[in-house]
Amino acid sequence: MLKIGDFSRLSHLTVKALRFYEKEKILIPESVDEWTGYRFYETSQLEDAARIKACRQMDLSIDEIRAIMSGADMMQVLSDKAKALSDQREKIDAILSRIHHILEDKEMKYQVTEKVIPAAIIFYSETVLENYSDIMQWIPSLGEECRKLNPDLRCTEPEYEFCEYPDGEYKEHDIQIRHNQAVTARGVENDIIRFRDIPETKVLSIYHKGPYDNIGEAYAFIMKYAEENGYQPAGLTRECYIDGIWNKESADDWLTEIQLPVR
């Protein structure tokens, strides 16, 4: 029988660690003197101590070690741990990639975030506008038209509204545009208002502050970011107008979120 100090020296585990493993019921002394409280270990427990130390060096949790010491399949526990570490490494690599991208952009004009947009019911309308400046007059008219058809229909909370440009190219005039608004249920349709479902969508998001005539810089930035970080575009980009002519006097204060669906 070995006293705890001797067992500590032979196992290369501190006395503090041994007491902790005893408390966690991972490595329990063979006997405890009821009068002195001295703990004694069998030499055969050195093998268990070595296994615990090896497990800790592989960053296994106390619960995982307890499972192994209780008879769980060690290979399965290690396989699950390897997958978790691999997932963690992918996450760390993605974070590092974003950090390096920001470090390369000395001005930090744009910062990209990844988010998941929930599935939703959308009321939408499509048209062709003569100029981009007509957008902010056209969008409010759609809300009025939808309310006439569906006076009890409500927008989702938080609200989600965006525009898409199905043309697939930039145009100065005759701009095809689709406006979308998330709502709580389907409603009555007509020639202007339609309803559809959109699936849950992963997007890259950036915010562009300022007038729309230089928003192309933001599109160039987010497309470059997606390419350099292994994302593949998976749909039309979405423009969410947060601040604009309706609430800001200066175009320099307009704020637009650009969302790029990706996979």
Side-chain angles (χ1 to χ4, degrees), residues 4-54:
I4 191 170
D6 295 329
F7 192 81
S8 170
R9 177 175 55 83
L10 293 173
S11 65
H12 289 197
L13 292 172
T14 65
V15 170
K16 182 179 180 180
L18 290 172
R19 292 188 183 277
F20 174 71
Y21 294 146
E22 178 187 356
K23 178 183 176 183
E24 294 294 330
K25 296 181 171 38
I26 291 174
L27 183 58
I28 300 172
E30 183 65 24
S31 65
V32 179
D33 190 293
E34 60 179 321
W35 298 105
T36 64
Y38 290 165
R39 283 152 170 77
F40 296 92
Y41 294 82
E42 291 282 2
T43 54
S44 60
Q45 291 182 283
L46 288 170
E47 186 177 347
D48 291 337
R51 179 181 295 182
I52 292 169
K53 190 174 183 67

Side-chain angles (χ1 to χ4, degrees), residues 247-262:
N247 67 341
K248 298 293 182 181
E249 294 183 2
S250 172
D252 292 336
D253 294 327
W254 294 357
L255 185 64
T256 306
E257 181 185 9
I258 297 173
Q259 296 178 349
L260 173 64
V262 293

Side-chain angles (χ1 to χ4, degrees), residues 49-62:
R51 179 181 295 182
I52 292 169
K53 190 174 183 67
C55 287
R56 292 299 283 167
Q57 290 173 343
M58 290 184 287
D59 199 37
L60 295 186
S61 69
I62 294 299

Side-chain angles (χ1 to χ4, degrees), residues 4-256:
I4 191 170
D6 295 329
F7 192 81
S8 170
R9 177 175 55 83
L10 293 173
S11 65
H12 289 197
L13 292 172
T14 65
V15 170
K16 182 179 180 180
L18 290 172
R19 292 188 183 277
F20 174 71
Y21 294 146
E22 178 187 356
K23 178 183 176 183
E24 294 294 330
K25 296 181 171 38
I26 291 174
L27 183 58
I28 300 172
E30 183 65 24
S31 65
V32 179
D33 190 293
E34 60 179 321
W35 298 105
T36 64
Y38 290 165
R39 283 152 170 77
F40 296 92
Y41 294 82
E42 291 282 2
T43 54
S44 60
Q45 291 182 283
L46 288 170
E47 186 177 347
D48 291 337
R51 179 181 295 182
I52 292 169
K53 190 174 183 67
C55 287
R56 292 299 283 167
Q57 290 173 343
M58 290 184 287
D59 199 37
L60 295 186
S61 69
I62 294 299
D63 287 341
E64 289 167 332
I65 296 172
R66 185 185 295 109
I68 290 172
M69 301 304 290
S70 299
D73 183 351
M74 186 173 183
M75 294 300 103
Q76 184 60 54
V77 173
L78 291 178
S79 177
D80 293 343
K81 187 68 175 183
K83 184 180 184 308
L85 289 172
S86 179
D87 293 343
Q88 184 180 3
R89 181 172 60 189
E90 290 180 7
K91 181 179 180 181
I92 291 172
D93 287 344
I95 293 171
L96 284 172
S97 178
R98 292 189 182 100
I99 291 173
H100 290 319
H101 198 91
I102 291 172
L103 289 174
E104 291 171 3
D105 178 31
K106 299 298 191 297
E107 296 181 1
M108 291 185 66
K109 185 174 182 180
Y110 297 112
Q111 295 187 50
V112 182
T113 59
E114 180 184 309
K115 63 172 73 173
V116 175
I117 307 299
I121 300 170
I122 296 292
F123 92 74
Y124 72 98
S125 186
E126 295 186 21
T127 193
V128 176
L129 298 175
E130 176 61 23
N131 300 294
Y132 278 98
S133 59
D134 298 331
I135 293 174
M136 295 311 162
Q137 284 73 45
W138 175 65
I139 290 177
S141 70
L142 301 178
E144 294 174 7
E145 182 72 18
C146 189
R147 280 191 292 273
K148 289 178 184 177
L149 290 171
N150 304 279
D152 296 325
L153 189 62
R154 296 291 177 264
C155 295
T156 58
E157 294 184 5
E159 189 170 328
Y160 184 50
E161 180 180 17
F162 63 94
C163 286
E164 299 168 299
Y165 297 91
D167 267 336
E169 61 176 301
Y170 175 77
K171 289 184 176 181
E172 294 283 352
H173 305 288
D174 297 328
I175 303 149
Q176 185 179 2
I177 183 172
R178 180 192 301 135
H179 172 266
N180 305 267
Q181 174 79 57
V183 290
T184 55
R186 287 178 175 271
V188 178
E189 298 182 338
N190 63 10
D191 292 339
I192 299 174
I193 302 299
R194 294 284 188 268
F195 289 85
R196 66 188 176 110
D197 295 316
I198 61 170
E200 179 181 271
T201 308
K202 179 168 71 173
V203 303
L204 297 179
S205 166
I206 62 173
Y207 290 91
H208 169 75
K209 190 166 186 178
Y212 303 132
D213 55 10
N214 61 357
I215 201 170
E217 297 176 11
Y219 275 100
F221 186 93
I222 198 170
M223 295 304 294
K224 179 183 178 183
Y225 179 92
E227 181 179 356
E228 291 181 349
N229 289 276
Y231 292 97
Q232 294 183 345
L236 296 172
T237 53
R238 303 173 181 181
E239 289 185 7
C240 304
Y241 306 114
I242 299 168
D243 292 318
I245 192 172
W246 61 91
N247 67 341
K248 298 293 182 181
E249 294 183 2
S250 172
D252 292 336
D253 294 327
W254 294 357
L255 185 64
T256 306

